Amino acid sequence: MMKKFGEVILLLLLLLLFFVPHAEGTRYSLPGKPALTRCRSPEKETFTCWWEPGSDGGLPTTYALYYRKENSETVYECPDYHTAGKNSCFFNKNDTSIWVNYNITVVASNALGSTFSDPVDIDVVYIVKPNPPEKVAVTVMEDKGWPFLRVSWEPPHKADTRSGWITLIYELRVKLDGENEWEMHLAGQQKMFNIFSLRSGGRYLVQVRCKPDHGFWSEWSSASHIKVPDYFHRERSVWILITVFFAFIFLIVSWCIHINSHSLKHCILPPVPGPKIRGFDKQLLKNGKSEDIFSALVVSDFPPTSSSNYEDLLVEYLEVYIPEEQELILEESKDLHDGCLKPKGSTFDSDSGRGSCDSHTLLMDKCGEAKDDEQQTDQDGSQTGSEAQRQQAAWEQEALTYAHEDMISPDMSSGRVKTWPSVFSPLPQYSLSPLSQPSSLETAKQHCLSDSLFPPASLSSYLTQPGQSTKEALRSSYSDFCSSNKQPHLLHPQPDARHHLQAHSDVNISSIGHKEAPAGLQLPTVQSTEYVEVHTVNEDDMVLLHPVPSGHSHGKGCLQMHQGEDYSKVNGVDKNNVLLLQRDVIEEQVDMCPCENQDMNGATESCCTSAQKSIPCIHTTLPVQEEKAVNGYVDTATMFPLPIH
Amino acid sequence: MAQRRTNGSKLLMTVLCVVAACRAVPVTDLLDRASQRSDRLHSLSTMLTQELDSHFPPIGRVIMPRPAMCHTSSLQTPNDKEQALQVSESDLLSLARSLLRAWVDPLLVLSSSANTLPHPAQNSISNKIQELQEHSKSLGDGLNVLSGKMGPAAQTMSLLPYRGGNDLGQDKISKLINFQFLLSCLRRDSHKIDSFLKVLRCRAARMQPEMC
């Protein structure tokens, strides 16, 4: 009985023993997969590999590392598991070969089985990571009074740099104690380095690391502390000197300013000028007697109660003076617009007020344009023929202006012969060419003008030649004004003609000037005086003058030719400085409005050409009274005998 | 006559002085320059392998030929430091020159293949191979000069012909794999050359330890 009971208990125990482990075995598993984390060689002679174990699997797990070299199939196990610590394998010199691939695998095994890691191929030469440099020494040294740090170190003792087996390059970093920013310095292969630009009294930390030529950086060496001594006093003395110096300068400057304060005040803040009225006494004002003050202001002869000569009041009344040509030219150029504008302010009686811009119908409107025209003529030589006429008209007006302003007093009261454009006409040889359609402005302009004025054949007989050089200057200035582009065939001026031209201009000026003086005495609104305006210049170098009735019967720029005799053509100047007029019988009446007003109209040319069908009597010498007028105005009615032919 | 003689002697003196002043570049300097070039060579090849590896098909790593298949593997080179330090200077130089010479032709193949390499970094790779060729050429010339100074033993060279042909492969994968394989062989060989030259440099500069 007892025996049976013992057997049953034994059986039960055995069963228990059997089942218990079986029940616990379901929680066990194979070990997790380990992984080789890294392999490193500090000196290219040995190397170590570390791995990371996987999950435990619940059972005690053992790890083994196996490797295979490149050329053989033999599998070796790790020779040393302990030197490098846990989960590591150390390969010593005997087991290390370089330039040979190692195929390394880690195996984790427990009671249930083994797990292999992924194999890793390494070559020892590519995994070099040296130890940090050793014996880092930092000292403070001085360079001409300024301190600097000298850092020196040695390579890690294991790395064989002596034989050239390993070549190391170094790097160090510096920072002030307490700051976050490191200052990096690459030192190359040298084992010593200087650091400058230190803060006096600062505490520095220095660290060094190294790297093989083809490998990984080592860890930083342990920090070395150093304290830079104070050289504060030396800096300070310099600053004290500078401060004292500037204080001294400042004192001197302020003293100078104080001395000259009065004159400086005048310089910087100039006194505001008070009003200075002649006869105005400030004291009187202060005294408060206004009657006295203002009576003192009254000037006895203002405003002028007696009427003096109009001529005195007229702004445009200028004394004629025939100076050198240069002065003429200057005056011409600058008075052009003054002359143009002046008439606007002058009296508006029928005879006067035209001033240099003479016929207000013609010239005052065009005065403003004159300048533009002039510029246009100067600069744009390729204007069409249609434009030429307008330019020509404007140019005539300008010429008139010149003549009137500079050389003649624009006497409003007397008739004016606006023949003076001829004075400024350009080279007379333009007349030689027939009045073809000029392609350029100048051609047309000059053409018309010179044609009407100077018959080429008759020039020489008419003109004296006083002072040719001056006249050339006059002409040249005008030609500059007039046009800058000359036709090629116009580039050979006949000098004679030019001189003649100049002479003529002079003559005109002088003769007119003289005449003008007596005429000037005539007060305005002399209806009997005839105004002669240069209207056009025809192809015979003749300036076509048209008598202008004193009434403002002509519209804007519209000249109507009157019937009958027309003594408005200036034929020329004879050698006695006599203006030769030509009487023409005008057969047709042409409405010159389009000629005057239209700017770019080729019809103006035709007007010019067709206007005068008079007999070209230009060759006839017409004796003319020599009039030495003060101004350039010619009164056809009174001055010249009418040429009859 | 006397004047001409003095002129001639003056000329002779100047010529002698010039000749004396023009000394040959010392061997240490030559080795220093050579090691710098070989350093650059190895850096380039390392960069190339890394660049190629960035877009490499994973299958390629599996079927990559073993390094023992490099055409220069037949050359016996020291396997560790003791062996390397026991090799004579002439032998070291000879090894370096042989290895360098062995890569002239494969570099041509690499260069031509780089133009059509199916890789995103193809342009950069092509440029680096170009640079590699230039450095290799100039280093070869420098080593020739050096060998002339180091005796007849340094003049001997081992022939390591490249038998891989001009074509790296027909399809994209094989092309890349072969390209990478060649580059890995080049990387190792350039490291060998660099190491040998630096050992030589340190040995030649016994009086100047800062060189090492």
Side-chain angles (χ1 to χ4, degrees):
Chain A
M1 242 346 231
M2 284 297 283
K3 274 188 195 166
K4 267 190 189 168
F5 189 73
E7 283 173 8
V8 167
I9 292 171
L10 214 68
L11 260 168
L12 277 165
L13 276 167
L14 276 167
L15 272 167
L16 266 166
L17 272 167
F18 181 70
F19 278 116
V20 164
H22 197 72
E24 287 175 350
T26 54
R27 296 189 281 126
Y28 298 145
S29 67
L30 283 172
K33 193 171 174 184
L36 274 166
T37 51
R38 64 191 180 107
C39 297
R40 288 287 180 264
S41 165
E43 76 286 82
K44 239 196 293 189
E45 298 166 43
T46 65
F47 73 104
T48 313
C49 281
W50 291 268
W51 66 83
E52 188 67 37
S55 67
D56 200 344
L59 289 167
T61 321
T62 56
Y63 296 91
L65 187 143
Y66 299 99
Y67 66 91
R68 192 168 53 81
K69 282 194 181 178
E70 167 181 312
N71 297 327
S72 70
E73 294 295 329
T74 321
V75 179
Y76 301 93
E77 196 181 344
C78 172
D80 188 338
Y81 287 105
H82 306 289
T83 312
K86 197 169 173 358
N87 294 332
S88 71
C89 176
F90 175 75
F91 294 80
N92 59 14
K93 285 188 190 181
N94 298 332
D95 298 322
T96 309
S97 306
I98 55 170
W99 296 312
V100 168
N101 263 17
Y102 279 77
N103 190 304
I104 299 172
T105 319
V106 175
V107 179
S109 31
N110 63 4
L112 293 174
S114 321
T115 319
F116 285 76
S117 70
D118 291 329
V120 165
D121 277 316
I122 57 150
D123 194 333
V124 176
V125 292
Y126 301 145
I127 55 166
V128 182
K129 178 180 175 177
N131 293 330
E134 295 164 1
K135 296 187 189 162
V136 179
V138 186
T139 50
V140 179
M141 307 189 77
E142 275 208 359
D143 172 39
K144 291 172 195 160
W146 300 97
F148 66 94
L149 290 179
R150 168 158 289 177
V151 190
S152 64
W153 57 88
E154 279 183 17
H157 66 275
K158 281 199 200 161
D160 185 6
T161 51
R162 277 284 173 111
S163 63
W165 186 239
I166 289 188
T167 311
L168 292 173
I169 56 174
Y170 303 95
E171 189 183 41
L172 51 76
R173 63 180 186 181
V174 188
K175 77 163 180 171
L176 269 170
D177 204 4
E179 291 203 1
N180 291 333
E181 292 285 320
W182 286 95
E183 190 182 316
M184 311 292 280
H185 298 279
L186 196 67
Q189 276 184 262
Q190 63 199 41
K191 298 178 186 66
M192 187 251 302
F193 198 80
N194 295 330
I195 298 172
F196 297 91
S197 303
L198 301 172
R199 191 181 298 182
S200 81
R203 209 165 118 83
Y204 286 93
L205 282 88
V206 181
Q207 284 184 310
V208 192
R209 68 174 180 179
C210 59
K211 167 174 119 70
D213 43 8
H214 309 285
F216 301 97
W217 279 107
S218 71
E219 298 296 330
W220 287 105
S221 67
S222 56
S224 304
H225 296 262
I226 189 77
K227 185 167 187 316
V228 180
D230 297 330
Y231 56 98
F232 182 66
H233 59 280
R234 196 167 299 190
E235 272 182 13
R236 175 181 258 192
S237 64
V238 172
W239 282 111
I240 288 172
L241 263 171
I242 290 170
T243 313
V244 166
F245 179 68
F246 275 108
F248 189 60
I249 299 272
F250 177 71
L251 276 169
I252 290 176
V253 167
S254 55
W255 185 71
C256 285
I257 288 173
H258 178 72
I259 294 286
N260 298 329
S261 60
H262 189 68
S263 53
L264 269 177
K265 234 191 277 177
H266 268 277
C267 197
I268 295 167
L269 307 167
V272 177
K276 289 208 168 87
I277 304 170
R278 217 177 336 148
F280 191 78
D281 191 359
K282 267 200 270 187
Q283 288 302 320
L284 281 178
L285 186 67
K286 283 177 190 162
N287 294 341
K289 294 185 183 164
S290 56
E291 301 84 16
D292 296 341
I293 298 157
F294 294 123
S295 62
L297 285 175
V298 173
V299 176
S300 58
D301 53 356
F302 183 84
T305 51
S306 63
S307 72
S308 51
N309 270 344
Y310 281 105
E311 287 76 19
D312 295 341
L313 305 175
L314 294 171
V315 182
E316 296 96 50
Y317 191 78
L318 298 176
E319 291 296 322
V320 170
Y321 165 63
I322 312 221
E324 293 299 321
E325 261 60 21
Q326 277 72 19
E327 297 177 22
L328 273 173
I329 294 153
L330 287 173
E331 283 179 273
E332 286 161 17
S333 55
K334 86 184 165 206
D335 287 345
L336 170 63
H337 305 297
D338 297 338
C340 287
L341 295 173
K342 272 175 197 166
K344 298 205 161 93
S346 64
T347 58
F348 284 105
D349 59 310
S350 55
D351 294 352
S352 66
R354 310 244 168 74
S356 55
C357 284
D358 186 326
S359 154
H360 67 278
T361 59
L362 260 182
L363 293 175
M364 277 154 92
D365 302 323
K366 305 285 184 180
C367 277
E369 296 169 16
K371 183 179 184 183
D372 302 328
D373 296 343
E374 164 195 348
Q375 284 171 352
Q376 275 181 336
T377 57
D378 285 350
Q379 290 144 23
D380 184 4
S382 60
Q383 287 185 4
T384 61
S386 60
E387 201 178 350
Q389 284 302 326
R390 182 181 83 96
Q391 296 301 337
Q392 173 207 337
W395 172 80
E396 292 175 27
Q397 295 153 14
E398 294 166 337
L400 289 171
T401 322
Y402 276 173
H404 296 153
E405 271 307 298
D406 303 303
M407 286 157 281
I408 328 159
S409 72
D411 188 356
M412 274 54 71
S413 60
S414 61
R416 291 174 264 291
V417 173
K418 299 163 185 75
T419 61
W420 303 125
S422 69
V423 171
F424 306 96
S425 80
L427 310 172
Q429 73 277 7
Y430 302 151
S431 67
L432 296 175
S433 57
L435 189 66
S436 54
Q437 281 289 340
S439 59
S440 74
L441 169 67
E442 300 76 34
T443 319
K445 182 175 54 170
Q446 297 149 357
H447 205 79
C448 280
L449 216 117
S450 56
D451 284 348
S452 61
L453 189 57
F454 286 107
S458 63
L459 278 177
S460 53
S461 59
Y462 293 155
L463 306 177
T464 58
Q465 301 180 14
Q468 294 180 8
S469 59
T470 56
K471 291 170 188 82
E472 282 172 13
L474 178 66
R475 186 213 63 78
S476 60
S477 72
Y478 180 72
S479 57
D480 290 343
F481 148 77
C482 181
S483 68
S484 53
N485 307 331
K486 302 224 191 282
Q487 297 297 315
H489 64 278
L490 304 176
L491 284 175
H492 304 287
Q494 302 169 10
D496 290 341
R498 204 186 315 161
H499 299 321
H500 297 162
L501 181 63
Q502 303 304 319
H504 180 79
S505 68
D506 267 353
V507 163
N508 287 346
I509 295 159
S510 57
S511 59
I512 298 294
H514 281 302
K515 184 57 189 175
E516 199 55 25
L521 292 175
Q522 300 172 22
L523 286 185
T525 68
V526 173
Q527 299 297 329
S528 60
T529 325
E530 276 192 356
Y531 287 84
V532 182
E533 296 183 37
V534 172
H535 179 50
T536 53
V537 179
N538 74 357
E539 68 274 20
D540 293 327
D541 263 330
M542 283 187 282
V543 177
L544 309 175
L545 304 177
H546 304 286
V548 176
S550 46
H552 302 280
S553 56
H554 32 265
K556 256 198 187 277
C558 192
L559 290 186
Q560 294 152 9
M561 298 201 303
H562 297 276
Q563 71 296 347
E565 294 174 341
D566 177 24
Y567 298 110
S568 56
K569 260 197 236 171
V570 174
N571 198 4
V573 178
D574 78 352
K575 59 175 189 235
N576 294 330
N577 287 346
V578 172
L579 186 69
L580 308 171
L581 291 184
Q582 170 187 349
R583 184 185 72 176
D584 295 323
V585 177
I586 299 170
E587 303 299 339
E588 54 186 90
Q589 202 170 27
V590 175
D591 183 20
M592 303 304 293
C593 290
C595 296
E596 296 306 319
N597 283 337
Q598 290 174 15
D599 289 353
M600 318 290 169
N601 193 351
T604 55
E605 251 185 281
S606 58
C607 288
C608 203
T609 54
S610 63
Q612 297 299 331
K613 296 282 199 289
S614 59
I615 308 156
C617 303
I618 53 182
H619 301 275
T620 311
T621 304
L622 307 170
V624 170
Q625 281 182 12
E626 182 178 354
E627 300 286 349
K628 305 280 186 225
V630 181
N631 51 33
Y633 286 83
V634 171
D635 185 33
T636 51
T638 59
M639 287 174 58
F640 302 99
L642 298 176
I644 299 169
H645 44 265
Chain B
M1 201 52 188
Q3 198 185 7
R4 235 186 287 160
R5 202 176 292 162
T6 50
N7 282 347
S9 60
K10 270 189 201 167
L11 186 63
L12 187 65
M13 288 303 294
T14 42
V15 167
L16 280 174
C17 285
V18 166
V19 168
C22 292
R23 281 176 302 197
V25 183
V27 171
T28 48
D29 278 348
L30 282 173
L31 279 168
D32 193 32
R33 296 180 204 179
S35 359
Q36 284 170 20
R37 242 183 236 281
S38 65
D39 192 282
R40 179 72 186 143
L41 211 66
H42 180 68
S43 306
L44 279 170
S45 65
T46 307
M47 283 194 278
L48 271 170
T49 50
Q50 286 165 355
E51 229 174 311
L52 203 69
D53 218 23
S54 62
H55 284 82
F56 201 69
I59 190 72
R61 292 182 230 277
V62 176
I63 61 175
M64 178 84 76
R66 292 182 301 155
M69 309 284 283
C70 286
H71 68 289
T72 51
S73 56
S74 58
L75 191 66
Q76 290 293 324
T77 52
N79 279 334
D80 60 22
K81 177 185 155 187
E82 284 76 22
Q83 286 178 27
L85 292 181
Q86 280 161 16
V87 180
S88 68
E89 290 99 351
S90 321
D91 290 339
L92 279 174
L93 190 62
S94 170
L95 284 171
R97 289 178 70 217
S98 309
L99 282 171
L100 198 62
R101 178 68 186 80
W103 276 100
V104 173
D105 295 329
L107 274 176
L108 287 170
V109 175
L110 278 173
S111 168
S112 60
S113 300
N115 295 330
T116 57
L117 196 68
H119 195 274
Q122 175 261 329
N123 211 26
S124 160
I125 288 170
S126 185
N127 290 339
K128 286 198 177 70
I129 293 196
Q130 195 86 1
E131 204 181 335
L132 258 175
Q133 281 181 295
E134 288 163 13
H135 282 291
S136 165
K137 166 101 176 42
S138 72
L139 180 61
D141 296 339
L143 290 183
N144 289 340
V145 172
L146 260 175
S147 66
K149 293 179 186 284
M150 290 174 74
Q155 306 270 13
T156 58
M157 271 194 355
S158 310
L159 206 61
L160 303 159
Y162 174 67
R163 297 211 167 85
N166 280 340
D167 193 13
L168 283 184
Q170 298 303 319
D171 60 305
K172 176 186 170 184
I173 297 279
S174 55
K175 226 180 181 180
L176 281 173
I177 289 170
N178 288 332
F179 205 92
Q180 179 73 310
F181 172 67
L182 266 179
L183 282 179
S184 67
C185 291
L186 176 61
R187 186 186 181 198
R188 173 183 289 180
D189 288 341
S190 62
H191 193 275
K192 283 184 186 174
I193 296 167
D194 189 42
S195 300
F196 297 156
L197 287 176
K198 282 177 178 163
V199 169
L200 276 175
R201 172 175 75 170
C202 249
R203 276 204 216 164
R206 273 186 217 105
M207 309 311 288
Q208 297 158 287
E210 65 271 11
M211 277 261 201
C212 298

